[in-house]
C-alpha cells in the first residue's frame, strides 16, 4: 500500500479576462485548507497552482491536535484519525543510551490526540477531493501567477497556463504560494529572519519494522557521531529519518542514494532491508513578513512566515492561519462585518507566528549549538538529564506545536451524549459556520446557535463542567473558528449580541 | 554568604582537577544548571547573569557595568 502521486489535468483559460471574488494562489496545504474553509461557508473560490500535483515527498508529517480539530470542523477529521499514526511518546537518546522519555499526556476525553503522523500529500489529496465535492472550488492546475497589481478596489493577477495567458481580477487574493512566494517578491515585500548554519538530510524510508509509534531523537549517536538524528513513523510502513549534517556538508554529494543508504544502514543495523522513498537536503530558516495583510492581498502559511521543522509548526501554523482568516473574510463578503475585521488577522496571527518562530529558533539553537559555550551547555543538559529529572525540561529537540492562546483559548473538546448517543462537543461548535453560545441554564433568544448543557447536549462525563467551569446561568460565546471570545450571563441578550458585534468589528 | 568560602573554593578547584578544558567547561555548565535549579527564581538568575557579564574589565564588561546591579 502506498500513495500514488496524482496528476491533475490543466485546463485552458476560459477568457482573456476573468473576475472572481476570492482567488487563492497556491494549492498547497494552506491554500487548499483556506479554499475548503471558504467553500464550507458558501463562498466560491478560484484556486490557481503552478503545478499539477500535491506535495512531492511527504514534507509535513506531524499534525497537531488543534489542526486535527480544524480538519474535523471541515469534515476530514475521521480520515486523519483512520489513516494517520497516533503517537504520544517521545524518547531522547544521548550517545549510546536513552536519556529520558516523555509522554505528551493527552488527557482523555478529546476526539483528537496530541499528534497524528501523516504524509502531507495525503492531507492535500483529501483536501482536493473535499474541495471538488463542494462544487464551489474552481481548482486550476498549472495556472501560474506571473504578475500582480494590488489595487485598492481589486487585484489583477496575470496567470500563465500551458494554453496561454489570461488576467484574473479578484476582490480578494489569499497568497498561499509557499516560502518562495512569488506574490511576496512581486510586491517587493520583505521577508527577514535567520538562517541556521546547518544542513539536514531528510529521508523517507520504506521498511517493515516493529519499532513503536514514538518519536525518537538522538543527540550524538554512535551511528552518526557529533550530530543529531530524528526518527518518526508514518503510515504505509514509511519512516521519516532526519540526519543533521553540519554546515560543511556538500548537499549534492549527500543526496547520493548510496551514501544515504549507508547512513541509514549504520543506524538500523544489519539485517533490516529498506527502500529509499524520498531524499532531500534542507537548510532551515525562521523568518516572517512584517505584515500579512496588504490591502486586498493577504498572506498565509509559509508565504507569510517560515520556521524550522523542529516542533512541527510550519504546516500547523499555516492551517491555523486559514482557520483564523476564512470566517472573517466570509463575514466581510456577506456584509456581516466591516473590512477592518481583516486587520484582526494580522493582530492575531503575527504574534502566533512570532511564538512559533521563537520556539523553533530555540529548538534549532539547542540542536545546532552555535559556539563552544552553547555546545558545552547542551552536552551538560543532556548529561544531567539522564540522571536528574530537573534538567529534562531544558532538553529541546523541538517544542511541539500547540495553539497560540493570545486571542482566546480554542474551545476544549469533551465527550457528550446527544439524543442519548455518544458524540463530541466540538463537532457542534462552529459546524454551521457561525458563532455558538454554550450555556448552562436558560439562555436568551439571540438567533445565535445555542447549545444548552442538559437540554441539547448531556455532559455525562462531567468534562464540560471541568473544562468550561460555567456557573448556572453563565455562557461562553465561541467564534466560528472555535475560539472562546466572551464569558457572560446566558440570559442577557444585549450583552451577548454586543459581544458578537464587537468580535465582528462592528 | 557561604560559611567557609575557602573550603568551597577548594572543592571547586578539586572538581576540575584532571579535566581537559572541554570537560571543565562542561562541568561548570552542569554546576550552573544545578545551582540555577536550586535558586529557581528567574529574576535572580537574570540578575546573576548580568552581574557576571558586568564584572571584570574589557569593552563588554565596561559597557555592561553601567547596567548591571551591584549586589
Ligand atoms: C522536511 C520538512 C518537514 C516538515 N515537517 C512538518 C511537520 O511535521 N508539521 C508541520 O506542520 N509542518 C512541517 N513542515 C512544514 C510544511 O511542509 C509547510 O509549512 C507547509 O507545506 C506550508 O504550506 P503552504 O501551503 O503554505 O506552502 P506550500 O506547501 O509550499 O504550497 C505552496 C503552493 O503554491 C504553489 N505556487 C507557488 N508559486 C506559485 C505561483 N506563482 N502561482 C501559482 N501557484 C504557485 C506551489 O506549487 C505550491 O503548491 C515541514 C517542512 C519540511 C520541508
Amino acid at each position: 500500500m502506498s500513495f500514488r502521486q496524482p496528476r491533475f489535468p490543466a485546463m485552458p483559460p476560459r477568457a482573456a479576462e476573468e473576475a472572481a471574488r476570492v482567488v487563492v494562489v497556491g494549492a498547497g496545504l494552506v491554500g487548499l485548507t483556506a479554499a475548503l474553509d471558504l467553500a464550507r461557508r458558501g463562498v466560491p473560490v478560484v484556486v490557481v497552482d503552478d503545478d499539477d500535483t500535491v506535495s512531492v515527498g511527504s514534507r509535513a508529517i506531524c499534525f497537531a491536535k488543534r489542526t486535527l480539530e480544524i480538519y474535523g470542523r471541515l469534515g476530514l477529521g475521521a480520515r486523519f484519525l483512520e489513516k494517520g499514526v497516533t503517537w504520544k511518546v517521545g524518547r531522547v537518546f544521548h550517545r549510546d543510551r536513552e536519556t529520558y522519555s516523555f509522554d505528551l499526556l493527552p488527557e482523555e476525553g478529546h476526539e483528537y490526540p496530541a499528534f497524528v503522523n501523516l504524509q502531507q500529500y495525503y492531507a492535500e489529496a483529501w483536501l482536493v477531493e473535499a474541495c471538488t465535492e463542494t462544487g464551489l472550488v474552481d481548482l486550476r492546475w498549472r495556472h501560474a501567477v506571473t504578475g500582480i497589481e494590488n489595487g485598492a478596489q481589486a487585484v489583477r493577477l496575470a496567470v500563465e497556463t500551458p494554453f496561454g495567458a489570461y488576467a484574473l481580477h479578484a476582490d480578494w487574493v489569499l497568497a498561499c504560494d509557499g516560502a518562495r512566494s512569488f506574490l511576496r517578491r512581486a510586491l517587493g515585500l520583505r521577508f527577514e529572519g535567520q538562517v541556521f548554519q546547518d544542513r539536514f538530510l531528510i529521508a523517507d524510508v520504506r521498511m517493515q519494522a516493529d519499532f513503536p509509534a514514538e518519536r525518537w531523537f538522538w543527540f550524538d549517536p554512535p551511528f552518526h557521531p557529533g550530530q543529531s538524528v530524528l526518527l518518526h513513523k508514518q503510515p504505509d510502513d514509511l519512516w521519516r529519518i532526519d540526519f543533521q549534517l553540519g554546515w560543511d556538508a556538500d548537499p549534492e554529494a549527500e543526496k547520493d542514494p548510496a551514501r544515504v543508504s549507508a547512513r541509514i544502514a549504520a543506524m538500523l543495523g544489519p539485517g533490516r532491508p529498506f527502500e529509499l522513498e524520498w531524499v532531500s537536503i534542507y537548510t532551515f530558516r525562521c523568518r516572517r513578513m512584517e505584515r500579512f495583510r496588504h490591502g486586498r492581498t493577504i498572506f498565509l502559511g509559509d508565504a507569510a512566515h517560515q520556521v524550522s521543522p523542529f516542533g512541527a509548526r510550519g504546516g500547523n501554523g499555516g492551517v491555523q492561519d486559514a482557520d483564523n482568516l476564512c470566517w472573517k473574510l466570509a463575514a466581510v463578503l456577506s456584509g456581516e462585518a466591516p473590512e477592518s475585521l481583516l486587520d484582526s488577522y494580522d493582530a492575531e496571527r503575527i504574534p502566533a507566528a512570532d511564538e512559533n518562530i521563537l520556539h523553533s529558533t530555540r529548538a534549532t539553537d539547542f540542536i545546532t549549538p552555535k559556539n563552544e559555550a552553547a555546545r558545552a551547555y547542551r552536552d551538560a543538559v543532556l548529561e544531567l538529564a539522564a540522571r536528574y529529572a530537573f534538567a529534562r525540561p531544558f532538553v529541546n529537540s523541538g517544542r511541539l506545536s500547540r495553539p497560540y492562546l493570545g486571542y482566546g483559548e480554542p474551545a476544549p473538546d469533551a465527550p457528550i451524549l446527544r439524543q442519548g448517543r455518544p458524540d463530541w462537543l466540538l463537532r457542534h461548535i462552529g459546524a454551521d459556520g457561525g458563532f455558538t453560545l454554550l450555556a448552562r441554564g436558560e439562555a436568551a433568544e439571540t438567533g445565535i446557535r445555542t447549545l444548552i448543557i442538559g437540554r441539547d447536549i448531556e455532559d455525562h462525563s462531567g468534562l464540560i463542567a471541568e473544562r468550561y467551569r460555567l456557573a448556572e446561568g453563565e455562557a461562553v460565546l465561541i467564534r466560528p473558528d472555535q475560539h472562546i471570545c466572551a464569558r457572560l450571563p446566558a440570559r442577557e441578550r444585549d450583552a451577548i449580541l454586543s459581544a458578537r458585534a464587537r468580535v465582528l468589528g462592528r | 554568604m557561604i560559611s567557609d568560602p575557602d573550603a568551597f573554593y577548594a572543592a571547586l578547584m578539586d572538581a576540575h582537577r584532571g579535566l581537559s578544558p572541554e570537560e571543565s567547561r562542561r562541568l561548570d555548565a552542569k554546576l550552573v544548571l544545578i545551582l540555577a535549579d536550586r535558586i529557581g527564581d528567574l529574576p535572580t538568575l537574570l540578575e546573576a547573569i548580568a552581574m557576571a557579564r558586568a564584572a571584570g574589565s574589557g569593552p563588554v564588561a565596561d559597557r555592561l557595568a553601567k547596567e548591571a546591579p551591584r549586589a
Side-chain angles (χ1 to χ4, degrees):
Chain A
M1 203 187 15
S2 70
F3 184 76
R4 283 198 41 207
Q5 192 85 28
R7 293 284 163 197
F8 303 111
M11 297 299 198
R14 301 208 183 118
E17 305 271 332
E18 268 192 76
R21 289 172 90 191
V22 180
V23 174
V24 172
V25 179
L29 186 68
V30 177
L32 290 167
T33 303
L36 181 61
D37 202 335
L38 288 166
R40 289 268 187 261
R41 298 175 191 285
V43 177
V45 193
V46 173
V47 182
V48 291
D49 192 277
D50 61 354
D51 202 1
D52 65 352
T53 188
V54 294
S55 177
V56 175
S58 67
R59 296 171 70 207
I61 56 169
C62 298
F63 289 84
K65 176 166 172 292
R66 180 63 203 138
T67 301
L68 297 170
E69 289 170 352
I70 293 167
Y71 286 126
R73 180 171 63 71
L74 296 175
L76 290 173
R79 298 190 82 167
F80 279 80
L81 286 183
E82 199 180 302
K83 178 80 190 175
V85 173
T86 296
W87 63 276
K88 58 191 173 97
V89 172
R91 286 184 201 284
V92 176
F93 302 86
H94 184 209
R95 306 209 177 101
D96 57 351
R97 45 188 125 139
E98 181 175 331
T99 299
Y100 76 106
S101 64
F102 58 88
D103 190 329
L104 294 171
L105 274 183
E107 326 170 277
E108 292 298 308
H110 294 263
E111 184 172 12
Y112 297 100
F115 276 95
V116 154
N117 281 3
L118 179 82
Q119 296 87 316
Q120 183 165 341
Y121 45 68
Y122 276 114
E124 292 185 13
W126 300 341
L127 284 162
V128 168
E129 264 175 49
C131 279
T132 308
E133 278 164 19
T134 64
L136 287 173
V137 181
D138 179 354
L139 273 163
R140 302 180 180 183
W141 304 102
R142 297 183 68 194
H143 282 216
V145 173
T146 55
I148 177 168
E149 286 163 35
N150 193 21
Q153 301 308 317
V155 187
R156 182 182 186 279
L157 297 171
V159 184
E160 273 175 28
T161 80
F163 313 96
Y166 66 105
L168 193 49
H169 298 265
D171 291 343
W172 298 97
V173 169
L174 305 193
C176 306
D177 52 346
R180 280 191 286 258
S181 174
F182 165 78
L183 293 179
R184 191 185 61 224
R185 283 179 288 127
L187 293 175
L189 299 170
R190 300 195 330 183
F191 195 43
E192 277 165 20
Q194 184 182 357
V195 181
F196 298 100
Q197 308 258 303
D198 205 338
R199 294 183 207 280
F200 290 81
L201 169 73
I202 316 275
D204 277 350
V205 172
R206 192 176 295 283
M207 64 175 169
Q208 313 274 334
D210 48 7
F211 307 138
E214 296 176 344
R215 176 188 197 261
W216 287 5
F217 197 103
W218 287 265
F219 290 99
D220 193 15
F223 57 83
H224 193 52
Q227 308 283 7
S228 68
V229 177
L230 173 64
L231 175 74
H232 251 306
K233 183 179 182 158
Q234 306 172 59
D236 302 346
D237 290 321
L238 263 197
W239 298 79
R240 160 69 54 83
I241 308 177
D242 292 14
F243 290 97
Q244 182 184 22
L245 295 176
W247 187 233
D248 297 331
D250 172 353
E252 280 316 304
E254 289 295 345
K255 261 195 277 196
D256 174 15
R259 189 148 169 173
V260 177
S261 296
R263 287 199 187 285
I264 295 170
M267 169 179 179
L268 298 174
R272 206 177 270 288
F274 63 88
E275 221 178 290
L276 280 183
E277 172 107 359
W278 175 68
V279 174
S280 193
I281 306 265
Y282 285 92
T283 291
F284 297 131
R285 296 160 188 274
C286 279
R287 47 186 178 170
R288 76 157 164 86
M289 298 176 77
E290 267 171 71
R291 283 181 296 123
F292 300 165
R293 178 178 177 207
H294 292 268
R296 293 181 167 270
T297 299
I298 305 172
F299 289 81
L300 292 80
D302 279 13
H305 45 73
Q306 202 183 356
V307 294
S308 85
F310 300 107
R313 288 167 179 269
N316 287 301
V319 169
Q320 289 163 39
D321 288 347
D323 181 49
N324 187 282
L325 178 64
C326 290
W327 69 270
K328 296 175 181 173
L329 183 57
V332 169
L333 288 169
S334 70
E336 213 189 338
E339 263 180 48
S340 58
L341 177 61
L342 298 175
D343 290 329
S344 72
Y345 168 71
D346 260 14
E348 296 180 347
R349 292 309 296 171
I350 287 175
D354 283 344
E355 183 173 277
N356 286 330
I357 287 172
L358 179 74
H359 284 299
S360 131
T361 301
R362 287 176 173 172
T364 312
D365 285 344
F366 190 87
I367 292 162
T368 303
K370 282 202 185 55
N371 52 46
E372 284 308 308
R375 178 167 291 276
Y377 270 99
R378 209 271 311 266
D379 291 344
V381 163
L382 290 168
E383 288 178 7
L384 287 171
R387 245 187 126 97
Y388 307 109
F390 89 84
R392 290 173 192 163
F394 288 118
V395 177
N396 192 345
S397 68
R399 298 278 179 243
L400 291 159
S401 175
R402 298 174 59 78
Y404 175 69
L405 299 176
Y407 50 93
E409 184 198 359
D413 203 359
I416 55 170
L417 290 180
R418 201 171 149 78
Q419 282 137 21
R421 275 194 293 277
D423 204 338
W424 294 98
L425 177 62
L426 271 192
R427 292 186 183 181
H428 301 279
I429 293 179
D432 64 343
F435 283 74
T436 308
L437 193 72
L438 175 68
R440 229 183 103 189
E442 281 303 297
E445 192 47 62
T446 53
I448 296 172
R449 183 189 160 86
T450 300
L451 287 176
I452 293 183
I453 302 160
R455 185 192 75 184
D456 306 312
I457 55 176
E458 200 184 318
D459 184 22
H460 66 302
S461 63
L463 286 172
I464 299 185
E466 187 181 310
R467 290 175 186 165
Y468 286 83
R469 306 211 165 272
L470 287 173
E472 182 66 28
E474 201 182 21
V476 283
L477 183 64
I478 303 170
R479 305 198 316 194
D481 60 358
Q482 300 178 328
H483 281 67
I484 297 173
C485 56
R487 183 176 276 272
L488 57 207
R491 257 191 283 237
E492 289 186 17
R493 181 170 180 277
D494 291 350
I496 295 167
L497 290 176
S498 66
R500 183 179 61 171
R502 200 165 52 243
V503 174
L504 285 169
R506 289 204 304 244
Chain B
M1 189 66 213
I2 306 165
S3 61
D4 190 346
D6 287 350
F8 170 67
Y9 197 82
L12 208 47
M13 294 306 103
D14 272 355
H16 283 274
R17 193 171 309 132
L19 299 187
S20 69
E22 210 181 294
E23 288 164 333
S24 265
R25 184 158 209 167
R26 205 156 62 232
L27 177 82
D28 280 337
K30 282 188 274 191
L31 263 174
V32 167
L33 293 165
I34 291 166
L35 297 173
D37 176 61
R38 294 288 159 95
I39 290 169
D41 174 56
L42 190 60
T44 309
L45 293 170
L46 296 179
E47 193 183 313
I49 291 173
M51 285 167 65
R53 293 259 298 179
S57 58
V60 176
D62 292 346
R63 182 161 49 76
L64 291 165
K66 297 191 189 81
E67 300 152 27
R70 298 196 169 271

